[in-house]
Structures are given as structure tokens and as C-alpha cells.
Amino acid sequence: MRDKSANPVRSIPGIFLERNPIARTTEHRADIDGLRGIAISAVVACHINLPFSAGGFVGVDIFFVISGFLITRLLADEYDAHGRIGLADFYARRVRRLLPALLLVVAATLVAGFLWLLPDEQVALARSAIMALLFAANIHFWTVGTGYFEPASTLLPLQHLWTLGVEEQFYLLWPLAFAGTAALARRRNRPVLPALRLLLIAAVAASLALAIVQGPSRAAFFLLPARAWELGAGCLLAMAPPLSAARARWLAPLGVTAILLAILVYDAHTPFPSFRAALPVVGSVALIAAGGADPRGAVPRLLSQRWIAGLGKVSYGWYLWHWPLLAFVRIQWGGGIHVVRDTGLVLLALLLAIIMYHRVEMPIRERRVAGFGDTTRSLASGGALLVAGLALAAALWVWAARPSPAGSLMAQYRAARSGAVRDFPFCNDPAPCASGAPAGGPALLLWGDSHAAQLGHALDLAGRQASIHILTRTEPGCAPGGSPLGVRRGDPRWMACAAFEHRVRAELAGLRGHRNLRTLLFAGGWDARQAGWERQLAADVDAARRLGLRVIIARDVPLHSRDVLRCTVRRGADSCAEPRAAIERRAAAVDRALDEIATQRPDVRLWSPLDRLCPHDRCPAAIDGRLLYRNQGHLTLDGSAYLAPALQPVIG
């Protein structure tokens, strides 16, 4: 995470600070460096899955509090010294402190992406880099839809920069609000400090309320409005009355306890942030306040130890470097966490951070580099660096869009990655979505989610051969009998699936009478963790049988342990094949439930694609030079077509 010390070295007593004694303590605080060390260590430990660190992501919340506190101290000190806020000077300091290191890491990541990533991965990296350099990485990852705790996020080399987006937006807004509120208070002959406190209390209350209302949503996690109260808590502390040493002695242990409790108890399944972020936030406020009131206390002295304060000083660089290193290695090795390997990577990131701190950060921060000698040159150099970074990202984007030779493996890869919606369109409209043989003869209805939609091309080919008219009802994430995994009842996605399934059930009788519907094929990506899906599927099967429909249930296509498409392009098809036994073990719980449904209803037929896709006890990634999968468990157009001969006798 970012090293945010930039502590002012002096303070000229004046009206503001006379009413705010805590802000007089403007000397460098080693205990805050130590708190940074705790925060970055927790974040890194969480990212490599070390024991007892599942809640280490709360280190980000600790950094938010520190940012609010230190930035407000800087603003208060400048206002007290000059009676105004020099915005140009403020932003020049932010440029010197943050931008060169950020640009260095982003540029290195883009170069690595050019060397090692596949075209669609390069495009995604370029987009995230551009948004990060525009101070909107958090907005980008919110719109992309990949949650922080989802496995796919571990393969996004710049996702960690969402935190910088939150803080950079805070740096943009808070100095303006500070200066505006102070000017308004003085114009009306009102005290400045109470006006600022009132503004902060209102903002913190509104932001906390929004965080609680939004709950554990992506918007609450990534965006500033629901995170502002954490930064605001640090701002309020910077304007708080002084704390007595006696109170600091018992407040500091409570702060440590709160932070450790969050790290030990929280995990990826904890609904976060919401009100639960209050635990690390309040703990951080307590530690900062106690360290300012009683620097010689046991906890502040522990946090001020050289080794832990040293980690805090390089925390910004360590945060910047560790995630891209982890992401690139996981991409190359097919994802997943390997504690020993990843520990080595984060130690390498620490080494890079130390070098960058001494060779890049400190010389620029101390204005020993000509291009950053004063405010004007700092802002100009920062602008030039941003333009260079944006140009590099744009160049990678253009390179990724270059065409591939027709029929090549890369051309197949591009088609598979970009053609899912085109190749397997969802059909959830009441108007018939038809394929196969012309209407008039017997019809089959395919009902399911994306795992059903991928059978559409195979059914079209098989239906033409078997003289069967194919109707389709598919909706993403809505497997028959189950709501999307992890979606709560009443959630918009749950409601959409419920409405889709209700609509299909309602039209079955009409299709039976007017479209000559004779067969219903259920298919889906069922998950054994979905409670009660098998009971609802059995009920839908029985309802179809009562209408006189023949029922077929399709088992799912192989679910591989990695993204088969990317693995094949990087390592070759032979290296990415998996034993059929491993595929069957992953599907065992779902297959047992399907077996039970079919066993209790002898007229229901089960069909499995495994005999076709997994010959000779192996599940290959490609057959006859054609790629079968477009990710971990969805077929390409060629893969779907390969199933047509196996489906034809089943539907005929």
C-alpha cells in the first residue's frame, strides 16, 4: 500500500492549531510507520494465504484511516501557517510522493503483459492501466464485475490499484472541501475548526449509512462514497481534542485487539465492508490517538521499533509490487495459491520496494531530481509521466488487437474468447427461438443456463439429422432448479432467474399443444453447494412428465481444474488434458443427485457428454487440432459441434 507519511516538519502556532492541540504534534511519528507495517504485512499475508491471516484485507482500511489523519494534519498545518490552502503545492507533494513509483510499477507491468499475456489479457491489462492512471481504478474494477474475493481477481495484475483510486479521489475532494469550508466560515465570521468538524461528522455519518445500506456489494467495496467514512474517521481524529496519557495506556491495547480480531476472524466469506469495517477503523483510530498522547507507552514503542517502522516506510512500494508478481506467476501456472512460491514472490517484491524507496521515491520526494525541484516542475513532470504511461498502455492495447493468421491456434483462441455470445446466444423471450429441422414435426425444448446454451449448436446439427425441431429457453446463471450460486433470495439476479423459470413453466403446456413439443431437455451447470436445487429440478421433471413430455437430463461437460483454452495456447493441448477420473470426482455430488432423480423415474433418460469428450480415460483440450473449450468448463463452437453425433440418437 501507499506510504503516506509526508509528515510536516514544523508548525507555526495560530488560530486553527490553538483550538486543535492534537495537530501540534507534527513531527514524524514512527508509531504510524509501524502501523503501516502492520497493515501491509496483513494485506500481503492474506494475499498469499498464510495461516491466521484470512482477514488481512482489513489492512486497506487501516491505510484509509492513516491517510485521512495525515492529509488533514498537513492541511491544518498549512492553513495555520498561511491562512489558506495552497492547492497547487498540495497536489505537487502528492505527485512527488505517489506518481513516480506508481508509473514505474505500471510500466513494468505493461511490459510484462506484452511479453507474457494473451491478446484478451493484454487488452484487459491496458484498460486497467489507463483507468489507474486516470485515478479511477476502483471505478473500473467495479464496472468490470470481478469481485475482490473471486478467484478470477488473483489473475488481474493491477486490481490492487483500486485502493489508490479511492484515495486519489479523496485527495482531490477533501482539500477543496477543507479550503471551501474554511473560507466560508471566515467570511461569516465563524470559527473554522467547528465548521470543519461539523462537515466531517455529516460526511462520515452519511457514508457509513450508505455502506451499511449497500451491504457487501461491489459498489460498497470499491467506490469512494461507502468508503469515505473510513478516511473521514482519520480526518476527525486529526481535529480531535488531545487524549490524556492515562487514557492512552488502556486505549492502545484495545486498538491492537480490534485490529488483530478483524485479521483473525474475518475471511473472504465475511460480508464486507458494511459496519464490519468499523472494527479495524476504530482500532486504527485508537492506536493513532494513543501514540500521539503517550509516545512512550508500550504499544507505541513497539510500533516504533525499527524493523516494523521500516516496513511501513516501504509499504507503498511493497503494495505496488507484490500483486503484479503474484498475478503473473499465477497466470503462467494456471492460477491457484502456492504458499512457498508466493512467499518467495512477496519477499522479492519487498526487495524491489526497498530499492525503489531509496533510488526513486526519496530522491524525488526530497526534490533531488531536477524535474521535481519545485511545484511547477513537479506538476509538469507528473503530467508528462501520466501521458507516457497512458501512451504505453494504449500501445499495448493496439498491439493486442493485431490480426492472427486464419486457422492458427491464436485465431481459434481469439474466436473462442470473443465469440461466446455470438456462438451461443441466450434465448429467454417468449417468442420461439428455433433451430434444427423446420417447424411442423416433433419438437424438443432445451431449458437451462449457459451450460445448456453451449449445446445449442450441437442440437441444431443433430436436430437437422434426426428431423427434430429445436426450441430454446436459456438464461445466464439460471440452471433449472437452482438460483445462481451465492445469490440471496430477493436479490435482483435471484428475481431474474425466478421470473425466467416461472415463464418457462407457464408456457410448457402451450408449446405442447401448439408447437408439437414432445421432449424436454434439462441442462445446467449445477453446483452441489446450491441448497435444494435437486428437489426443484425433480419437481420440474415431474411437471413435464404430467404433460406427457419425454424428459432428458444432460450431465454437464467436463469441468477442468484450469482455464483449458489459455493453458492450451501457452503449453500445448497435450499438457492440458486431464484424467477422466479427476473430472468425474469433481462432478460426483451433482451426478449422484441426477442419478437419484432418474432412478426414481425410469422413463427419464440421463445423457452424458463424457464418452464423447473424454475418450480413452482422458479429457483432451483439443481433438483433431480444434480447440474444444473456451474456458474452464464451456465449449467452443467446434466443441459443441463435436457433440452432435452423440446427441442425435438421444433426441431422435
Side-chain angles (χ1 to χ4, degrees), residues 243 246-262 278-288 290 299-300:
L243 186 71
R247 290 183 177 179
R249 293 190 188 98
W250 62 262
L251 190 61
L254 289 180
V256 172
T257 301
I259 290 173
L260 290 179
L261 191 62
L279 198 57
V281 168
V282 171
S284 303
V285 168
L287 283 177
I288 296 172
V299 174

Side-chain angles (χ1 to χ4, degrees), residues 253-272:
L254 289 180
V256 172
T257 301
I259 290 173
L260 290 179
L261 191 62
I263 294 172
L264 294 173
V265 174
Y266 291 174
D267 59 25
H269 303 291
T270 302
F272 199 87

Side-chain angles (χ1 to χ4, degrees), residues 173-240:
L173 297 175
W174 175 227
L176 296 174
F178 187 110
T181 302
L184 182 62
R186 292 186 67 177
R187 187 175 299 118
R188 297 187 175 184
N189 201 26
R190 299 289 179 85
V192 172
L193 183 57
L196 287 167
R197 284 175 175 166
L198 183 61
L199 171 66
L200 281 171
I201 290 171
V204 166
S207 175
L208 177 58
L210 179 63
I212 294 173
V213 169
Q214 287 185 328
S217 64
R218 285 201 315 274
F221 194 95
F222 285 115
L223 300 185
L224 177 63
R227 291 286 194 170
W229 71 273
E230 303 180 32
L231 293 142
C235 298
L236 278 172
L237 176 61
M239 298 182 178

Side-chain angles (χ1 to χ4, degrees), residues 162-184:
W162 74 269
T163 60
L164 272 71
V166 171
E167 295 196 7
E168 287 156 350
Q169 291 153 24
F170 164 74
Y171 296 151
L172 177 65
L173 297 175
W174 175 227
L176 296 174
F178 187 110
T181 302
L184 182 62

Side-chain angles (χ1 to χ4, degrees), residues 55-130:
F57 56 85
V58 302
V60 169
D61 306 87
I62 298 172
F63 277 113
F64 286 162
V65 175
I66 295 174
S67 288
F69 177 76
L70 291 179
I71 293 302
T72 304
R73 278 201 335 178
L74 284 168
L75 295 173
D77 188 61
E78 182 171 356
Y79 185 84
D80 187 65
H82 305 293
R84 62 179 180 83
I85 300 297
L87 293 177
D89 290 340
F90 174 84
Y91 293 124
R93 287 194 298 269
R94 294 297 92 200
V95 165
R96 290 191 295 270
R97 186 140 186 87
L98 305 176
L99 204 54
L102 173 63
L103 262 294
L104 177 60
V105 173
V106 169
T109 303
L110 289 170
V111 172
F114 169 75
L115 295 174
W116 293 316
L117 296 186
L118 298 172
D120 61 312
E121 297 170 331
Q122 291 174 337
V123 170
L125 176 61
R127 286 175 177 167
S128 61
I130 289 171

Side-chain angles (χ1 to χ4, degrees), residues 19-82:
R19 299 179 181 180
N20 180 26
I22 193 172
R24 289 184 187 147
T25 311
T26 54
E27 70 278 1
H28 185 88
R29 295 231 343 229
D31 62 307
I32 292 182
D33 282 336
L35 185 55
R36 288 196 199 93
I38 294 291
I40 187 60
S41 300
V43 170
V44 169
C46 173
H47 287 169
I48 62 174
N49 204 26
L50 288 183
F52 310 110
S53 65
F57 56 85
V58 302
V60 169
D61 306 87
I62 298 172
F63 277 113
F64 286 162
V65 175
I66 295 174
S67 288
F69 177 76
L70 291 179
I71 293 302
T72 304
R73 278 201 335 178
L74 284 168
L75 295 173
D77 188 61
E78 182 171 356
Y79 185 84
D80 187 65
H82 305 293

Side-chain angles (χ1 to χ4, degrees), residues 251-616:
L251 190 61
L254 289 180
V256 172
T257 301
I259 290 173
L260 290 179
L261 191 62
I263 294 172
L264 294 173
V265 174
Y266 291 174
D267 59 25
H269 303 291
T270 302
F272 199 87
S274 189
F275 61 88
R276 294 170 184 83
L279 198 57
V281 168
V282 171
S284 303
V285 168
L287 283 177
I288 296 172
D294 184 21
R296 297 182 179 180
V299 174
R301 281 192 290 108
L302 176 62
L303 291 176
S304 300
Q305 293 296 309
R306 185 174 181 180
W307 66 273
I308 192 169
L311 287 179
K313 289 180 179 179
V314 299
S315 59
Y316 179 39
W318 197 11
Y319 184 79
L320 288 178
W321 282 112
H322 87 286
W323 189 258
L325 288 177
L326 291 173
F328 276 113
V329 170
R330 289 167 181 172
I331 288 169
Q332 295 301 313
W333 289 87
I337 294 174
H338 189 287
V339 173
V340 175
R341 178 200 68 197
D342 292 350
T343 300
L345 289 172
V346 298
L347 291 177
L348 173 60
L350 178 58
L351 176 61
L352 292 173
I354 294 171
I355 295 172
M356 186 170 69
Y357 178 78
H358 290 288
R359 299 294 183 181
V360 177
E361 293 183 65
M362 289 308 296
I364 292 176
R365 193 180 308 167
E366 295 173 352
R367 308 188 190 190
R368 289 185 273 127
V369 176
F372 296 89
D374 56 31
T375 295
T376 301
R377 283 182 287 175
S378 294
L379 294 176
S381 297
L385 286 175
L386 283 178
V387 170
L390 291 170
L392 186 61
L396 180 64
W397 196 334
V398 171
W399 169 260
R402 71 196 187 282
S404 298
S408 66
L409 187 64
M410 188 58 71
Q412 290 188 62
Y413 173 85
R414 289 175 181 272
R417 293 298 298 174
S418 64
V421 176
R422 178 195 66 231
D423 296 339
F424 307 113
F426 291 105
C427 182
N428 54 20
D429 192 275
C433 298
S435 62
L444 174 147
L445 176 67
L446 171 66
W447 178 3
D449 57 4
S450 63
H451 294 255
Q454 68 185 341
L455 301 178
H457 185 52
L459 285 169
D460 179 31
L461 298 175
R464 294 175 189 275
Q465 293 295 319
S467 299
I468 301 293
H469 185 57
I470 307 298
L471 304 174
T472 304
R473 296 292 181 271
T474 51
E475 176 81 0
C478 300
S483 62
L485 183 64
V487 175
R488 295 174 296 177
R489 188 179 185 89
D491 182 275
R493 285 187 62 200
W494 185 93
M495 298 291 288
C497 281
F500 164 71
E501 292 169 357
H502 176 75
R503 189 165 62 245
V504 176
R505 294 183 189 109
E507 66 174 327
L508 285 179
L511 293 174
R512 177 80 170 87
H514 301 295
R515 302 288 296 180
N516 200 20
L517 181 63
R518 293 291 178 265
T519 305
L520 182 56
L521 173 60
F522 292 95
W526 293 290
D527 193 305
R529 293 171 292 174
Q530 292 172 305
W533 67 270
E534 66 272 30
R535 292 191 297 274
Q536 184 57 59
L537 177 60
D540 286 330
V541 167
D542 289 336
R545 293 167 66 228
R546 287 193 294 271
L547 289 173
L549 297 176
R550 176 177 173 235
V551 175
I552 304 171
I553 302 176
R555 299 190 194 275
D556 200 4
V557 302
L559 175 64
H560 293 259
S561 62
R562 67 187 78 182
D563 188 314
V564 193
L565 181 64
R566 287 173 171 160
C567 176
T568 302
V569 175
R570 286 194 167 100
R571 302 186 185 181
D574 291 342
S575 300
C576 302
E578 290 196 47
R580 176 169 175 165
I583 299 293
E584 290 176 335
R585 280 196 299 272
R586 289 188 198 103
V590 169
D591 285 347
R592 282 195 298 269
L594 297 180
D595 286 337
E596 185 174 351
I597 292 174
T599 299
Q600 296 173 358
R601 299 161 181 81
D603 57 325
V604 173
R605 178 165 184 174
L606 278 178
W607 173 77
S608 173
L610 259 65
D611 289 337
R612 182 72 173 166
L613 294 175
C614 300
H616 313 300

